[in-house]
Amino acid sequence: MNELKHFLAKHLIPLGVVALWLKTVIVSATAFSLPIQNGVDIFLLLIGPLGSLMLLLGFSFYFSKHVRPLAFLLVYLLCTALLFGTLLYYRFYIDFLTVSVFLQFSNVGGLGSSTAELVSPYDLLLLIDLFVVAWFTISAKIERQPIERPNGKGFAWSGLVALVVALGVSHIQNPYLLKTDYARDELVASLGLYNYQLVNLAQGISAPLKESWANEATASDIKAEMQEKPSPDVDVFGLAKGKNIVMISLESTQNFVIGQTVNGEELTPFLNQLIEESFYFPNIYDQTAQGKSSDMEFMLDTGFYPLSSGSAFVRRYENTFRSLPQILKEQGYTSAAFHANDATFWNREAMYETLGYDEFFSKDDYEVTDELSVNYGLKDKPFFAQSIDHLNTLKSPYMAKFIPLTNHFPFLLEQEDQSIDPADTEVDVVNRYVTTIRYQDEAIEQFFADLKKEGHYEDTIFLLYGDHYGISRQYESGVHTLLDQEENTLTHLDLQKVPLIIHIPRQTGQTIETEGGQIDIHATLLQLLGLSANENLTFSYDLFTRPSDVPIIFRDGRFVSEEYLYADHTCYDRKTEQPVEETYCAKDQEIVREQLALSDEILLGDLLRFLD
């Protein structure tokens, strides 16, 4: 034992670097879907984490020999926690942690009951070296045994050279790398997980400066760059003018559930029936980023893309906006949001005030008991039932937005609330998803019946929309089994579609195959209300007139255009469904970079404060 302690005391720092580097490379190569396509990518995967780990662990050099063991342990613990936390976060969101996500945990909560679904027994292998280091450093501290350090200058210079080489090769390979911070998988693949976090930290620190540097001239220039929208469709323009508006967020609902059966039973019998009497858009893509439900609300209310890192609800709630509630207030509307969770969840209370909502009915306004709750909170059926009394207090015309909770990962529901058997796939999450989707459908059916009974139905336009995906890529194999489809990039992208149903009583139903994104719901609603979206600064297109040559842009740089789509760092021809040279996607890629940069500049610079 003494020989082992002596060996560790002499070689702990370089051994620590090797152990952290090795498990970081293994996790990056096996658990993350990184764009590793050639020898240069493999080289960057190997060298990317090395320099930053040497410099971070070398930080313990600067402490006295008796403090050095604890300083080394602290840095080692933080690096391991970052790796493990990123792994769990990636498994569900297929994305990487950012500084903004860390900072907003107090506002949005963590993974909660979802965490158990994400942990694998093999994850313990990532902690073995941490236990060894902890055991040794604590005993070394107790026994006052110093940790020897390697040649300080040589160690530091080696780490710095590795860091510079990784940055230099990455820049040569992709000059846009640091300009497209939303392409986080490319950043991690090229720079390594720890360098990526340093870049992300620098970008987070610089974000407030953009607001300080912004001015009226910048705002005017950007307004001139915004694309003018097509003229409205005269057949639908003003079709719902002056009507009440009821918006229902379909939590975690993907479009594949519409019309789908399991064991001969429809998953969404009520929505299927409603679609026959509604405008139904089956080709609307989920464009949310790390803000998920709050991102959907943000796009719906403002017509702007969400931020790539964190949530605009948390990061930019003090901005000036031209939102739906503000626009409708000028038309005499009252606006309200209904969500039986804490008012501070996703910082809604503060953001709703900024957006101009008159009322926010949150958890304190509902009877929330253990018997009536599951998973994230109040079940959908009592939520909608209790919301009716609050809705009755609103003055017409009103805009009312309802955000239910039950159909949320990991899709938990008591047996007595299940009216359909779980699916029989190899993925339990997908099997349970079937039961919560049906429960949500039944809750909405009952809500419509109550609205009719209370006189809220006839003079109302209803918007029902999927807020984001429910089944992440981690669990998609179960969906592919359910749908009997091949698992590839194209089918994954197809599963990113969410339903959009616009129901106006006594209007003939119509399925509209136009492709668009969630951001386009903003302009579509305005057109139906007889209000031109061209009067406001927005990235939203009316779905009745959306040009087919305008790409649908995802926050991570992917896109879908008329002829091509770009996903998983590959350009695909949509007719042949085969990969083609990236030059075919170059024109649309430039549009994507420009549009996302414009949206970010407006939000981070709070430029709407300069515009009338």
Side-chain angles (χ1 to χ4, degrees), residues 322-581:
R322 176 72 170 156
S323 67
L324 275 178
Q326 293 164 348
I327 295 169
L328 292 174
K329 191 184 293 285
E330 297 168 0
Q331 307 299 318
Y333 277 76
T334 301
S335 57
F338 300 72
H339 185 48
N341 208 322
D342 294 328
T344 56
F345 193 62
W346 281 116
N347 203 35
R348 282 189 170 97
E349 187 172 43
M351 188 57 160
Y352 284 164
E353 182 177 351
T354 296
L355 294 173
Y357 280 87
D358 298 301
E359 299 280 356
F360 177 25
F361 299 100
S362 60
K363 184 176 181 179
D364 291 341
D365 300 296
Y366 290 84
E367 179 189 351
V368 181
T369 64
D370 290 342
E371 183 181 348
L372 297 177
S373 302
V374 68
N375 200 12
Y376 273 73
L378 188 64
K379 297 176 186 177
D380 292 353
K381 290 181 180 179
F383 165 67
F384 283 122
Q386 293 182 39
S387 294
I388 289 291
D389 287 339
H390 299 311
L391 185 63
N392 286 337
T393 66
L394 298 185
K395 180 183 177 182
S396 293
Y398 58 74
M399 182 188 86
K401 178 169 61 177
F402 297 87
I403 307 170
L405 284 165
T406 304
N407 190 47
H408 193 292
F409 181 88
F411 313 112
L412 306 175
L413 195 63
E414 289 93 343
Q415 185 68 40
E416 61 266 24
D417 289 319
Q418 297 180 21
S419 58
I420 187 173
D421 292 333
D424 184 23
T425 75
E426 71 278 12
V427 182
D428 286 339
V429 168
V430 174
N431 298 340
R432 296 196 300 269
Y433 183 67
V434 165
T435 65
T436 54
I437 277 287
R438 168 60 81 83
Y439 177 85
Q440 176 183 254
D441 186 77
E442 293 171 348
I444 294 171
E445 180 178 21
Q446 184 59 54
F447 186 45
F448 266 72
D450 291 341
L451 290 171
K452 291 177 180 179
K453 181 180 178 181
E454 295 292 328
H456 290 282
Y457 175 75
E458 287 296 333
D459 198 30
T460 300
I461 175 175
F462 296 87
L463 272 76
L464 298 89
Y465 51 85
D467 65 344
H468 54 75
Y469 65 76
I471 307 299
S472 74
R473 203 165 192 173
Q474 173 79 8
Y475 304 104
E476 271 185 8
S477 61
V479 180
H480 294 309
T481 299
L482 195 69
L483 303 180
D484 191 25
Q485 66 181 188
E486 185 180 349
E487 184 174 354
N488 56 44
T489 297
L490 299 181
T491 53
H492 166 69
L493 201 62
D494 192 61
L495 290 179
Q496 303 314 296
K497 294 177 181 177
V498 296
L500 171 61
I501 304 166
I502 301 178
H503 179 70
I504 305 174
R506 298 184 302 280
Q507 287 294 324
T508 304
Q510 182 181 354
T511 296
I512 300 172
E513 300 289 346
T514 301
E515 289 189 317
Q518 292 169 315
I519 198 171
D520 298 318
I521 302 175
H522 174 87
T524 305
L525 175 60
L526 287 177
Q527 300 285 33
L528 287 167
L529 295 173
L531 302 170
S532 175
N534 285 332
E535 296 176 5
N536 305 301
L537 203 61
T538 174
F539 292 87
S540 179
Y541 285 89
D542 166 31
L543 288 166
F544 291 99
T545 58
R546 193 183 197 282
S548 58
D549 59 345
V550 174
I552 297 127
I553 299 173
F554 299 87
R555 188 58 257 202
D556 58 4
R558 293 174 299 156
F559 68 81
V560 174
S561 68
E562 190 172 16
E563 296 182 74
Y564 304 100
L565 63 84
Y566 184 79
D568 292 342
H569 309 281
T570 304
C571 182
Y572 291 88
D573 185 304
R574 299 193 67 182
K575 288 183 179 178
T576 65
E577 297 188 350
Q578 296 299 313
V580 294
E581 292 292 329

Side-chain angles (χ1 to χ4, degrees), residues 116-217:
E117 292 281 345
L118 304 173
V119 177
S120 164
Y122 295 105
D123 294 341
L124 292 175
L125 297 175
L126 298 176
L127 306 178
I128 292 176
D129 58 320
L130 178 61
F131 292 138
V132 173
V133 170
W135 163 77
F136 172 74
T137 52
I138 292 173
S139 62
K141 174 64 177 175
I142 294 173
E143 298 171 10
R144 301 183 67 82
Q145 181 178 11
I147 296 176
E148 295 185 24
R149 64 182 188 183
N151 179 277
K153 289 184 178 179
F155 194 87
W157 276 109
S158 298
L160 189 60
V161 167
L163 185 62
V164 170
V165 168
L167 290 172
V169 174
S170 299
H171 180 72
I172 293 172
Q173 186 183 41
N174 183 1
Y176 293 105
L177 186 65
L178 298 181
K179 296 179 181 178
T180 53
D181 62 311
Y182 48 79
R184 283 185 280 273
D185 53 352
E186 289 187 14
L187 283 169
V188 172
S190 298
L191 304 179
L193 181 63
Y194 308 103
N195 289 338
Y196 150 74
Q197 287 295 350
L198 293 175
V199 169
N200 180 250
L201 178 62
Q203 290 168 336
I205 293 173
S206 66
L209 299 177
K210 295 181 179 180
E211 184 173 347
S212 301
W213 293 337
N215 54 51
E216 190 171 351

